Amino acid sequence: MNEEYDVIVLGTGLTECILSGIMSVKGKKVLHMDRNSYYGAESASITPLEDLYKRFNLPGSPPESMGRGRDWNVDLIPKFLMANGQLVRMLLITQVTRYLDFKVIEGSFVYKKGSIYKVPSTETEALASNLMGLFEKRRFRKFLVFVANFDENDPTTMEGVDPKVTTMRDVYKKFDLGQDVIDFTGHALALYRTDEYLDQPCLDTINRIKLYSESLARYGKSPYLYPLYGLGELPQGFARLSAIYGGTYMLNKPIEEIVMENGKVVGVKSEGEIARCKQLICDPSYVMDRVTKTGQVIRVICIMNHPIKNTSDANSCQIIIPQNQVNRKHDIYVCMISYAHNVAAQGKYIAIASTTVETNDPEKEIKPALDLLEPVEQKFVSISDQYGPVDLGAESQIFISRSYDATTHFETTCDDIKDIYKRMTGADFDFAEMERKKNDIFGDAGDQ
């Protein structure tokens, strides 16, 4: 271990593994360590089920009705991949897709006045939907056509809207959309967690709705994908990419000290040895003195023996509860997957509800989501502090990732990756540069 590296990475969460993969592809010499004995850090999938019970300090072992412990891979952080989003693009360009199999999530639902409705995924569905009345549907359709045709470089598509000035609130007014439709558009299509976006320029919202529509167009049922065997497969895929390019991995490595000289990182001490480096990437848990708390997220993992009611017995789905519907400032999300994704025993379903904490009673805040899931066989509650870096790393050369937020997809994680990349290299992240140059011998052998 007493060697010199370009980059040392601490923690094998998804953000860290993607960055170590990218740095290795760029020809950097990378050492990647984790204090845990498993990959994934905060974004791990826990198996067997017994380990999940231990992690949440539940007494005893899982009942026999839960089936074999090894059949479970339970995500600690619930997220899906947008089919046309940045993470899928990173997976495709690096060919990490060859280590993973994905399934399309069967439906996206939105909560309105105590019931859940399918988010329309085609024009036909939109016209048949109970979410809106007939005249509202016509106005909404006009709005969607406007968004689909909108091109920020072509003023003729803008219908008098200035993408950098006109607020989204004014765009909704222009199409005379009612409050329920605004809720549904902003939260279930543009996937905002709060309503702050209403008074900001509309370009970001238009692009988000386009991303949703384009993702949906790829597979038809919903815009979301999910990897078989759980999200923990994602960091492992990128770790493998890093290893192919000469990256060194060490699990079970206690980190004793981050060694600094004149305010700049020069190495990491573990088990009495020092590995030297020019730059360091890590998650907040390794440098608690360099991060600030930005909030809290509550996540409740629920094991059930039935699909969620009113979802047409879908074996996977997402439910969004817009904040206005439950008098909150942040949306509540439910991600559900099941035995069909090799993450649960036969006939079992895993639903994970999550939201940003606003009060001193987070479990009460998330109750509207849990009410939709009844009856629940076992629940596991976690309340996690969220952290962001105090120091952007210009002087220290320590680059700290942000905690995973309450969004249901990985777009914000990819934004963080691109931000860290730019701070480390001084250049914008370029997807094309990530093209693979070496073949993974195992992968090629497996293809034949």
Side-chain angles (χ1 to χ4, degrees):
M1 210 184 98
N2 288 327
E3 279 188 57
E4 176 83 40
Y5 295 89
D6 294 313
V7 180
I8 293 180
V9 185
L10 303 180
T12 50
L14 181 62
T15 307
E16 287 70 33
C17 286
I18 292 180
L19 282 163
S20 84
I22 292 167
M23 291 302 166
S24 300
V25 170
K26 278 182 68 72
K28 302 277 187 199
K29 186 175 177 186
V30 176
L31 170 64
H32 200 145
M33 296 189 281
D34 194 315
R35 63 167 85 89
N36 298 312
S37 59
Y38 53 85
Y39 281 98
E42 288 288 296
S43 57
S45 303
I46 302 298
T47 183
L49 189 59
E50 289 76 2
D51 282 11
L52 192 69
Y53 273 64
K54 277 189 208 129
R55 191 183 180 95
F56 283 87
N57 299 318
L58 292 184
S61 50
E64 280 191 15
S65 62
M66 294 285 186
R68 280 190 348 186
R70 288 251 156 248
D71 288 343
W72 294 83
N73 287 288
V74 182
D75 301 326
L76 294 176
I77 292 191
K79 284 186 186 282
F80 293 145
L81 289 82
M82 292 293 275
N84 229 25
Q86 303 179 83
L87 181 52
V88 168
R89 209 171 156 197
M90 287 181 189
L91 284 161
L92 287 166
I93 283 176
T94 55
Q95 295 172 28
V96 169
T97 39
R98 65 169 69 177
Y99 312 130
L100 302 161
D101 284 312
F102 289 91
K103 272 197 160 172
V104 180
I105 295 300
E106 293 202 340
S108 186
F109 296 82
V110 65
Y111 178 98
K112 178 183 163 188
K113 299 184 173 74
S115 303
I116 58 175
Y117 298 88
K118 189 171 190 305
V119 175
S121 55
T122 62
E123 204 172 298
T124 321
E125 270 187 18
L127 291 172
S129 169
N130 296 330
L131 270 171
M132 325 170 226
L134 182 65
F135 295 109
E136 192 99 78
K137 281 175 185 166
R138 288 182 187 165
R139 293 195 290 269
F140 182 59
R141 185 174 174 278
K142 274 188 185 155
F143 167 74
L144 286 182
V145 168
F146 163 75
V147 168
N149 293 333
F150 194 93
D151 175 352
E152 59 182 303
N153 301 315
D154 179 357
T156 62
T157 65
M158 293 183 186
E159 300 184 20
V161 169
D162 182 335
K164 294 194 172 72
V165 177
T166 312
T167 65
M168 200 59 212
R169 195 185 292 278
D170 288 340
V171 174
Y172 287 143
K173 256 189 213 135
K174 172 182 165 71
F175 288 92
D176 199 17
L177 298 180
Q179 187 57 50
D180 281 348
V181 179
I182 290 173
D183 271 357
F184 150 76
T185 305
H187 296 268
L189 299 182
L191 301 170
Y192 283 108
R193 287 172 294 164
T194 69
D195 268 349
E196 287 168 11
Y197 79 95
L198 285 168
D199 297 308
Q200 290 165 354
C202 62
L203 182 61
D204 185 43
T205 306
I206 288 171
N207 285 334
R208 280 169 170 247
I209 298 170
K210 274 185 188 287
L211 170 64
Y212 190 96
S213 311
E214 287 159 5
S215 295
L216 191 58
R218 286 185 76 159
Y219 300 102
K221 286 181 183 171
S222 83
Y224 303 109
L225 301 175
Y226 183 82
L228 292 185
Y229 300 101
L231 296 173
E233 296 294 294
L234 293 167
Q236 290 187 60
F238 282 100
R240 194 165 165 186
L241 170 71
S242 173
I244 291 158
Y245 282 86
T248 305
Y249 271 78
M250 295 180 184
L251 297 179
N252 259 332
K253 289 292 282 183
I255 305 304
E256 285 146 23
E257 187 191 343
I258 290 168
V259 185
M260 308 291 291
E261 278 176 18
N262 303 325
K264 184 177 179 304
V265 66
V266 292
V268 173
K269 185 177 178 186
S270 172
E271 299 178 307
E273 295 183 297
I274 293 178
R276 300 185 74 77
C277 66
K278 301 183 183 85
Q279 293 183 306
L280 179 75
I281 300 170
C282 62
D283 72 47
S285 69
Y286 290 88
V287 284
M288 293 306 292
D289 57 331
R290 290 176 178 270
V291 294
T292 178
K293 184 174 162 181
T294 54
Q296 283 186 314
V297 175
I298 177 170
R299 300 182 174 102
V300 182
I301 299 169
C302 298
I303 293 179
M304 311 177 305
N305 59 6
H306 59 88
I308 298 172
K309 291 183 196 77
N310 306 321
T311 60
S312 310
D313 291 347
N315 65 30
S316 59
C317 69
Q318 177 203 55
I319 303 168
I320 293 177
I321 304 178
Q323 30 84 310
N324 278 336
Q325 295 289 328
V326 284
N327 298 316
R328 289 174 49 74
K329 295 187 186 71
H330 296 83
D331 292 358
I332 304 173
Y333 291 131
V334 177
C335 290
M336 188 198 75
I337 58 258
S338 66
Y339 62 93
H341 307 84
N342 303 357
V343 295
Q346 188 61 32
K348 299 290 182 184
Y349 298 77
I350 301 170
I352 308 181
S354 62
T355 192
T356 303
V357 174
E358 296 177 5
T359 69
N360 292 330
D361 190 355
E363 287 199 54
K364 188 178 172 197
E365 293 182 51
I366 208 156
K367 189 175 181 299
L370 301 186
D371 289 346
L372 299 172
L373 307 178
E374 290 296 340
V376 170
E377 286 188 87
Q378 182 63 58
K379 65 178 187 179
F380 306 84
V381 181
S382 69
I383 295 165
S384 312
D385 289 341
Q386 302 262 280
Y387 297 102
V390 174
D391 157 24
L392 294 180
E395 283 178 33
S396 65
Q397 291 296 294
I398 297 175
F399 302 93
I400 305 160
S401 62
R402 296 178 175 282
S403 303
Y404 299 96
D405 61 20
T407 56
T408 61
H409 51 72
F410 286 106
E411 296 305 298
T412 49
T413 304
C414 292
D415 291 341
D416 192 29
I417 289 164
K418 284 163 41 178
D419 184 44
I420 291 172
Y421 178 90
K422 183 166 187 178
R423 297 194 326 251
M424 286 183 74
T425 64
D428 278 324
F429 180 83
D430 179 5
F431 279 100
E433 198 188 359
M434 281 173 64
E435 292 286 5
R436 289 278 292 277
K437 298 170 193 73
K438 289 186 185 174
N439 277 331
D440 172 356
I441 302 138
F442 311 105
D444 287 351
D447 289 345
Q448 285 161 14

